[in-house]
Structures are given as C-alpha cells and as structure tokens.
Amino acid sequence: MKPTNDCFLRALKREKTDFTPVWLMRQAGRYLPEYCETRAKAGSFMGLAKNPDYATEVTLQPIDRYGIDAAILFSDILTVPDAMGLGLDFVPGQGPVFAKPVQSEEAVNNLYVPDPNEELQYVMDAVVSIRKALDNRVPLIGFSGSPFTLACYMVEGRGSRDFRMVKEMMFRRPDLFERVLDINAKAVTAYLNAQIAAGAQAVQIFDTWGGMLADGDFQRFSLKYMKQVLDGLIRENEGDVVPSIIFTKGGGEWLEDMAATGASAVGLDWSVNMSRARALIGEKVAIQGNMDPFALFGDEVAIRNAARRVMDAFGPVGTAGHVFNLGHGINQFTPIENVQILVDEVHSYSRQFH
Amino acid sequence: MKPTNDCFLRALKREKTDFTPVWLMRQAGRYLPEYCETRAKAGSFMGLAKNPDYATEVTLQPIDRYGIDAAILFSDILTVPDAMGLGLDFVPGQGPVFAKPVQSEEAVNNLYVPDPNEELQYVMDAVVSIRKALDNRVPLIGFSGSPFTLACYMVEGRGSRDFRMVKEMMFRRPDLFERVLDINAKAVTAYLNAQIAAGAQAVQIFDTWGGMLADGDFQRFSLKYMKQVLDGLIRENEGDVVPSIIFTKGGGEWLEDMAATGASAVGLDWSVNMSRARALIGEKVAIQGNMDPFALFGDEVAIRNAARRVMDAFGPVGTAGHVFNLGHGINQFTPIENVQILVDEVHSYSRQFH
C-alpha cells in the first residue's frame, strides 16, 4: 500500500512530484527534547535501539513535529557487527567500542554472517512496529552501514581520526581485509533484505568512512562491496519498487562510479556542487542532499538562503529526482525551531521547480 | 644562488627536470628517532619550534637520511595566532589549545596583524639558520596555515571534529568571521613575505580545514583569502621566482578554482584521481601529491606499487610539473625504512616520464 505522502519514493524513482521531499540524516536524535526523554527512559543508547516500542517512539518524533517526508528506522549502523558477537558498547565520551575487535587472521576466520531474523530480530520487530505506527503517512527508510564502514569499526574496535589499524590491515593484508568485506557484504545484504521484508520501503547504505580511501582503493575496498549488496537486494515488495540510496561522505570524487552501481540515488555531502553533480549523474540516478548541517545554526534568512542555494543549484527537477537532505547528520546542538524553518522552506520554495 | 638540486623548484615552475622531485608533508616529525631525540632535548614542541638551532637540526634530518628534494621549515601553522597574543599551548593528548580563543566581537576587535620581524623573529632566525645549514643542497620551503584554517583554531580555541563554534560564527555573524579572515590574510602575507626575505625559496599555504566547507562557502571563506595572500606575496628573490603551493585537504571539488588563484601549484589529497586533476588543471599549474600516507605501512612491493600508481596516473611529465608528495602528513607510526623505499622508487621510476 502506497503511503499517503509518497513524494519521497516518487523522487527516488524519478517520477514527477509536486514539491521536493525532505528528510534529515539523524533526524531522530539528541537535538530533539522528546528524543532525550525517551532516551532517558531507555537508560542507554542500545537499550533504546533494541526496544521496538522506544525505537518506534523516537522514529516518529521528527515526523510528528516537522512534517518530514520520510521516516528512517531508529537504529545504529553497528548492529550488524554487534550481531556477529563482537560486543558493541557505547562508552560515554568515546562513542562505539567493540569488546572483540577483528585484528588477527583468527578473528577474521571466526566471522560469520548473522541471521537477521535471529540475532537482529529486534530490528525487524522495530520495522514492523514503526510501519504500524506510521499508518502509511510517509514511507519508512531502512538502512545499514556499508561493508567498508562496518569493517572500519570492526578492525579498529572504535571510532578514530585516521583508522590507522584499518589502513594497516588494508595495505599489509589486503586478502584478509577483503574477506572481512565480503562477509560484511553478505551480512548487510541479508540484513537489508530482512528489513525490506519486514516493511522498509527504501534503504540507504551509509558509507561514512569511504571518503578516507585513495582513488582506486575506494573502488576496490568500498564501492565494490556496496555494489555486491545492491546486486543482492530485493527489488520489489508490497507491489512497489524498493529504491536504494548510497551515501559516501567525502565521495564527491566518485559520483559517476557510484551512479553506475545500480543504486536508485546517490547522496552528496555538502562539499559537492549540486549543479556539477546533476550534470554528471542526473540522467542516471536521483540525487539526495546536500546542505551543510551547520547552516541550521544561522538566522531564519540565512537558513532559507542556504536551502534555496541547494534547490537553485539543482534547478528545475522534472523527472530528475531530488531528495533534499543535509550533507551529513544533523548536529545535536541544532536549535529545534530552525529545523521547521528548513522543512517549510524546502516544501514551499521547491514548488516552482516541479 | 640556485640549489645544487633544484629539481623541486624547476617542477614548480613547470620546467623540464630529469626525475620527479619528492618531499613529504610533516617529513621532520615523530616517526624519525633522531627527531624524537631533538624533541626530548627541547623539552616541548614550541620549545623546539622557537629554538632556531633545534629547528635547523630537525629540518635537515629527513634530507640527510633520505635524500629528499626539498626541506621544509620546521614550525607550526599556529605561530601566527600565537604571535597575536592568543596564547598557544600544546596539551598532551589534546593538541593545540589557545588560552584566549576569539569568540566575541570584542575579541575580534582586539586582533591585530603581528610584525613578523618582532613577534615571529624566531621563525626568521630559523629560516636563516636552516638556509646556512642546507648550504644550497636543496631548496627550503616556507609555510603558513591558510587564513581560514588559522581562524578555525582561533575561534574554536583548539582542534575539533566539526569546528562547531567556527561554523556558528560563520553562519550567524559572517561579517565578524570575515573580519577575522581579513586580518589573518594580512598577517599570513606579511609572515610569508618575511620568510621569503629571510631565505625561503618556495612557500606552501596549508588549508587543512577548508574541505569542511560547503561548495560556495569554500570560495567565500577560504579560497578568497588564500588568493588575497597570494596576490600580496613577493614574486622574486635572490634572482629567482618564488613559487607558491596551495593545499586544501578535501578540496578535490575545487581544483579549477584553486588553479585560478595565481598559485604556482595545487596540492592534492589522496582521494583525488591524479589523471583527472591533470586533465582539469595541468595546463595551468604544477600539481603536488598524492599518495595515501598509510600506503607506507605496506610491504616493499605494495609501497612501490602505490607510488607507481600516482606517477602512472600523472603520466609523461614534460613541462607539466609534478611534485611527488603524500596526500597528507606522514603518520608518526610509519616504519622509517619504508620512507627510503618510497623516495628511491619516485627517483628511479619517474625517470621514464621525463
């Protein structure tokens, strides 16, 4: 059954729409007071993510508050390696930490593809619960980290400025690293397909760290495995196409490669010139993005101008497919009233382009 | 007087050379045991940078050890804001911290352009001392942080993942932020000109953080002020042209804009495809870069292949001007013997392209 507001799905399928749909990466998050309340009840971040009722609550909060055009499953990109038994924990001030990082051949040998309907059942329960709560108002996006981005955390064991241990394995033992990536690609494929089967109406692959790879290495160690995932995805569900989005932060150099993977849309970070991106790949895929998240710290006029700059750069949309988003996750200190200004501006200003 | 080995300067001037010159960003640094010894004698990082004898010692270490084709003044990009009285300190585990960050209109009003031959005399003394010690073996590169990159540290007061306070000032009070940038541009111009007068034979502007700006904002808040600096630089000294290099990490989107500033060369980080860069800007400027610093963690064959990949992508050099470098500073954990493999490989493999 189509959502009442299917603008987001139509844009991804490059069909005509009346306005440009908008959602925000990390839209269910700490900048929202209601999120912080639910988070406090849940006790911990993973307590929140693993409880379908709480996950449903926070997923719907930005939809209810702002009239955003798509909901995104509340979860974390690291649920998959957690389900592989690596022991995910969120340490205050440090972010995600794995108890058993993958730093030896033996550790790689022990990796396996988790059954998404076993170890990750809580995610599928959340998808079902969210779909029910959304009641077809807007579509639900499922997501996963990219095989490379998951490998970054799995090998390093935590976030890092430079992921030196990851690069060391990549340069010293590319064979070993590629085994990790292959397992991750299989795990992500199964995971996203389970989300789709449970009710996700589009999926996004977050390649948060692909941008730290050299040209050539990106294609070999990140893009190839995203394509492997895309090739294995369920194409249709509930009688409709399930569009896919790939987003590599810092991937502006590789837009044409990304557009050739078979993804429905390519997400851009804010450093990319939207006009150039459209000229390069606008005939092949929809484009998502790409306002600087910090533009939301400006005054009302500045926010409207920053949003318009993105839409002006994209130009008349027709069937090119533009999904408005930030170029990265919304910052936790964003003034909440400014998000409403942005959403309203995108909805109203974009009509002239449709 | 021309250096005995003037390959680096010739490449920047886009003259024919016999091989591709190589130097490494942060080549005088913690990966070298002899550096660590000098650093221990100096007691602190700024103690090292502010003592011309020590600065000379460490500047020459990678030249003596590896036969690198250019020396770069040992100093820090934050000497200029330190000379503005902001109180620079290096806190273990935290990096640079300013005692008096620039976070109010009053603080901006108090900023001034330091006299490079007063507050920064120690840098000029180091330049003179290094030139003497080099005895014209290879040229000496002077450098500064870009006006925007200096502003990042000045406003935030320290390093940061997202420089939120900088972005807040930029979006809320662009007028104030532009005043900081204008003062920085004047200060950097005077600083680099003093380095040139003291003996620096080329200069590089490090725009470490320009890549976190949105397209459009980069041109307005970073590039414009680098151009202001370049426009004010001394063009000739000691009877030779003084070439300039601008390097924006994450600036791959803006190569053509960077090549139009009047800089002699544009530096690339490792995400940029060297063939594409040459096609875009190779007719206008020399190009510096761009191997992934972590490729130095591979085995000998992997290092040689990574170096060759860069040179192959550049192709026959002629008078196009290629300076081999890493795409960012060398990592402190780099195995020292691997740097020799790289330098030798660049010197030998590149001959076929000249």
Side-chain angles (χ1 to χ4, degrees), chain A residues 66-88:
Chain A
Y66 297 122
I68 282 172
D69 300 297
I72 180 161
L73 164 67
F74 183 82
S75 188
D76 190 79
I77 60 166
L78 299 180
T79 50
V80 170
D82 182 52
M84 291 174 176
L86 304 186
L88 176 62

Side-chain angles (χ1 to χ4, degrees), chain A residues 48-262:
Chain A
L48 181 52
K50 290 193 172 181
N51 179 313
D53 291 337
Y54 290 146
T56 301
E57 205 169 295
V58 297
T59 298
L60 267 72
Q61 285 164 352
I63 312 301
D64 293 337
R65 182 188 269 267
Y66 297 122
I68 282 172
D69 300 297
I72 180 161
L73 164 67
F74 183 82
S75 188
D76 190 79
I77 60 166
L78 299 180
T79 50
V80 170
D82 182 52
M84 291 174 176
L86 304 186
L88 176 62
D89 195 12
F90 284 84
V91 178
Q94 277 199 63
V97 176
F98 282 109
K100 299 182 206 164
V102 181
Q103 293 168 343
S104 66
E105 183 143 14
E106 196 197 345
V108 174
N109 289 339
N110 288 336
L111 288 176
Y112 62 94
V113 176
D115 181 341
N117 292 117
E118 293 286 337
E119 290 95 334
L120 293 157
Q121 185 58 44
Y122 67 92
V123 176
M124 309 315 146
D125 291 344
V127 171
V128 170
S129 163
I130 295 163
R131 274 298 299 274
K132 195 172 165 197
L134 279 173
D135 194 23
N136 273 320
R137 281 187 287 159
V138 294
L140 175 63
I141 309 167
F143 75 94
S144 171
S146 73
F148 174 75
T149 292
L150 298 185
C152 284
Y153 290 99
M154 291 160 69
V155 173
E156 196 80 19
R158 58 187 67 231
S160 165
R161 236 170 226 274
D162 55 15
F163 287 100
R164 178 167 58 92
M165 302 174 80
V166 177
K167 290 271 184 99
E168 282 192 28
M169 185 189 283
M170 193 179 105
F171 283 111
R172 287 183 184 162
R173 289 295 308 273
D175 60 311
L176 210 58
F177 194 58
E178 286 175 324
R179 279 169 54 201
V180 176
L181 294 168
D182 180 64
I183 291 166
N184 286 355
K186 291 183 170 84
V188 169
T189 307
Y191 181 54
L192 289 177
N193 279 338
Q195 290 183 31
I196 293 168
Q201 291 146 295
V203 292
Q204 174 157 326
I205 302 175
F206 285 84
D207 188 31
T208 313
W209 297 115
M212 70 165 181
L213 291 170
D215 180 66
D217 290 335
F218 170 74
Q219 288 82 350
R220 176 176 174 190
F221 295 109
S222 182
L223 191 74
K224 176 183 166 186
Y225 296 93
M226 287 201 278
K227 182 163 168 41
Q228 184 177 329
V229 172
L230 291 164
D231 287 345
L233 287 187
I234 296 169
R235 303 270 158 172
E236 281 191 39
N237 196 38
E238 305 179 50
D240 204 353
V241 171
V242 182
S244 53
I245 309 163
I246 57 173
F247 170 67
T248 296
K249 184 158 183 286
E253 180 79 11
W254 308 303
L255 298 182
E256 288 160 292
D257 292 330
M258 293 173 75
T261 52

Side-chain angles (χ1 to χ4, degrees), chain B residues 10-12 14-15 282 285-288 314 317-323:
Chain B
R10 292 178 65 87
L12 289 180
R14 308 176 80 234
E15 296 171 2
V285 290
I287 298 177
Q288 179 172 284
F314 194 95
V317 177
T319 58
H322 179 211
V323 173

Side-chain angles (χ1 to χ4, degrees), chain B residues 279-325:
Chain B
L280 277 178
I281 61 171
E283 298 288 317
K284 280 192 194 148
V285 290
I287 298 177
Q288 179 172 284
N290 72 338
M291 195 176 90
D292 186 339
F294 286 102
L296 285 167
F297 286 77
D299 61 20
E300 181 172 339
V301 172
I303 295 166
R304 292 191 192 279
N305 284 339
R308 288 178 185 198
R309 201 162 78 185
V310 171
M311 290 181 274
D312 288 339
F314 194 95
V317 177
T319 58
H322 179 211
V323 173
F324 193 100
N325 206 318

